[in-house]
């Protein structure tokens, strides 16, 4: 997983460096984020955004469930002399009150939550934000699913995303269009015959739907783009990036 965050050949666990640089540049030049802001990066991974935002003069807290990612992020921060508060925790357990100017959640994390979990996260983010604070995140649209298509394949791996050792991958996609929901199922078989099933669920959004959800949870959409790097919004894009203000 950690390797997948850094791999510049694909956008597996994080987007590639050039896109991350463009995103940070866009958020700063459009004045969505400012020097001195207190930022909470939810699902910060190995700190690819947190470290850049700290370099730009923001005071950053990064939270991730992955011990390996947080250990890596902390080591990098120490090496670079960055004062970033990295916490290894479940972001559904945060308990901040009016602490941050902005909360960031990058790379479609919201799409992986059920409606109940999504609303729970929005309530935690709302509470964590100062008055007029902003929540910056992105969601995928049905367009992305259509581009990627339903996979139905198997392959053998010498070691990679799912396992360090040799394993067989059986991959199958399921579409539930009535709920804008998509399931990618992976059955992984180790050399010793052990089998594990991983199910990745994705809930896609339109601008109308995410705006409605935000409104119901105490936010107002300030800006919408087709990417966090500031691509002008047009209907039919594969991603929607949002800057939503706490009201
Ligand atoms: C797709 S990655 C994106 C990482 C980072 N935002 C980026 O774009 O480089 C999602 C991250 O969220 C973390 N994550 C998922 N569920 C989490 C949870 N409940 N609490 C904390 N972190 C979580 C994963 O460990 C992973 O690092």
């Amino acid at each position: 997983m950690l390797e997948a965050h850094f791999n510049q050949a694909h956008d597996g666990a994080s987007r590639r460096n050039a896109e991350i640089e463009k995103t940070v540049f866009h958020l700063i030049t459009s004045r969505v984020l400012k020097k001195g802001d207190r930022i909470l990066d939810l699902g910060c991974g190995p700190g690819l955004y947190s470290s850049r935002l700290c370099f730009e003069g923001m005071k950053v807290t990064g939270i991730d469930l992955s011990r390996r990612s947080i250990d890596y992020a902390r080591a990098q921060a120490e090496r670079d002399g960055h004062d970033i508060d990295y916490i290894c925790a479940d972001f559904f357990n945060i308990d901040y009150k009016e602490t941050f100017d902005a909360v960031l959640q990058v790379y479609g994390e919201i799409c992986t939550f059920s409606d109940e979990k999504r609303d729970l996260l929005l309530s935690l983010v709302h509470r964590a934000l100062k008055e007029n604070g902003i929540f910056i995140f992105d969601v995928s649209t049905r367009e992305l699913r259509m581009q990627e298509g339903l996979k139905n394949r198997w392959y053998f791996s010498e070691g990679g995303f799912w396992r360090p050792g040799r394993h067989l991958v059986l991959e199958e996609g399921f579409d539930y269009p009535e709920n804008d929901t998509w399931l990618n199922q992976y059955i992984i078989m180790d050399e010793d015959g052990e089998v594990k099933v991983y199910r990745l669920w994705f809930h896609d959004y339109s601008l109308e739907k995410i705006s409605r959800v935000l409104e119901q949870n105490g936010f107002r959409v300030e800006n919408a783009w087709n990417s966090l790097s500031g691509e002008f919004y047009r209907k039919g894009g594969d991603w929607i990036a949002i800057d939503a203000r706490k009201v």
Side-chain angles (χ1 to χ4, degrees):
M1 184 69 169
L2 190 55
E3 196 277 333
H5 282 289
F6 301 115
N7 197 316
Q8 297 300 301
H10 58 72
D11 291 326
S14 293
R15 296 196 172 95
R16 279 166 263 202
N17 287 342
E19 188 64 20
I20 296 174
E21 299 287 356
K22 267 170 74 179
T23 294
V24 171
F25 180 78
H26 163 66
L27 293 175
I28 291 171
T29 52
S30 59
R31 304 280 299 158
V32 172
L33 297 179
K34 297 173 293 303
K35 200 172 170 161
D37 278 353
R38 273 205 77 178
I39 312 285
L40 177 62
D41 184 1
L42 293 179
C44 62
L48 301 176
Y49 295 84
S50 292
S51 56
R52 285 168 170 87
L53 295 174
C54 174
F55 180 78
E56 297 293 341
M58 288 160 229
K59 177 81 192 84
V60 185
T61 298
I63 295 186
D64 204 284
L65 206 50
S66 161
R67 162 63 52 200
R68 292 191 73 180
S69 285
I70 289 294
D71 285 349
Y72 176 91
R74 281 187 184 145
Q76 285 298 107
E78 199 173 321
R79 194 202 66 183
D80 298 339
H82 284 165
D83 181 15
I84 304 174
D85 191 13
Y86 282 120
I87 301 168
C88 187
D90 186 335
F91 48 53
F92 285 104
N93 292 333
I94 60 169
D95 188 22
Y96 297 105
K97 190 162 180 257
E98 296 183 5
T99 310
F100 297 96
D101 298 289
V103 175
L104 198 65
Q105 193 169 48
V106 183
Y107 214 6
E109 204 55 29
I110 284 205
C111 299
T112 64
F113 306 148
S114 64
D115 291 358
E116 293 73 26
K117 283 276 202 178
R118 175 203 64 207
D119 289 349
L120 170 62
L121 189 96
L122 288 173
S123 73
L124 296 171
V125 169
H126 194 276
R127 188 168 189 272
L129 284 169
K130 295 179 187 169
E131 204 184 326
N132 282 323
I134 50 167
F135 181 35
I136 303 160
F137 65 98
D138 52 357
V139 289
S140 52
T141 70
R142 187 106 187 118
E143 201 61 39
L144 182 68
R145 285 328 131 197
M146 294 300 107
Q147 280 170 26
E148 291 185 347
L150 286 172
K151 302 278 190 324
N152 192 348
R153 60 182 181 172
W154 67 271
Y155 55 92
F156 178 75
S157 168
E158 287 290 345
F161 185 79
W162 295 108
R163 292 280 182 284
R166 288 152 61 90
H167 58 277
L168 180 69
V169 181
L170 310 178
E171 180 179 354
E172 189 169 2
F174 301 85
D175 186 17
Y176 304 92
E178 63 283 12
N179 294 322
D180 286 333
T181 298
W182 192 272
L183 167 66
N184 284 345
Q185 175 174 272
Y186 302 85
I187 301 175
I188 311 297
M189 194 179 294
D190 285 340
E191 270 194 303
D192 61 9
E194 193 180 321
V195 177
K196 272 215 159 175
V197 181
Y198 297 90
R199 295 196 177 98
L200 306 186
W201 291 91
F202 299 98
H203 305 270
D204 294 318
Y205 289 87
S206 61
L207 182 56
E208 293 72 26
K209 184 173 170 188
I210 194 65
S211 302
R212 205 168 47 244
V213 166
L214 286 163
E215 211 170 289
Q216 285 160 358
N217 285 279
F219 292 91
R220 182 186 65 237
V221 173
E222 288 268 293
N223 292 293
W225 304 278
N226 271 141
S227 70
L228 282 169
S229 56
E231 238 178 293
F232 193 67
Y233 176 78
R234 66 176 172 84
K235 214 177 166 86
D238 47 5
W239 284 89
I240 302 171
I242 302 270
D243 148 20
R245 193 162 298 280
K246 172 175 173 168
V247 288

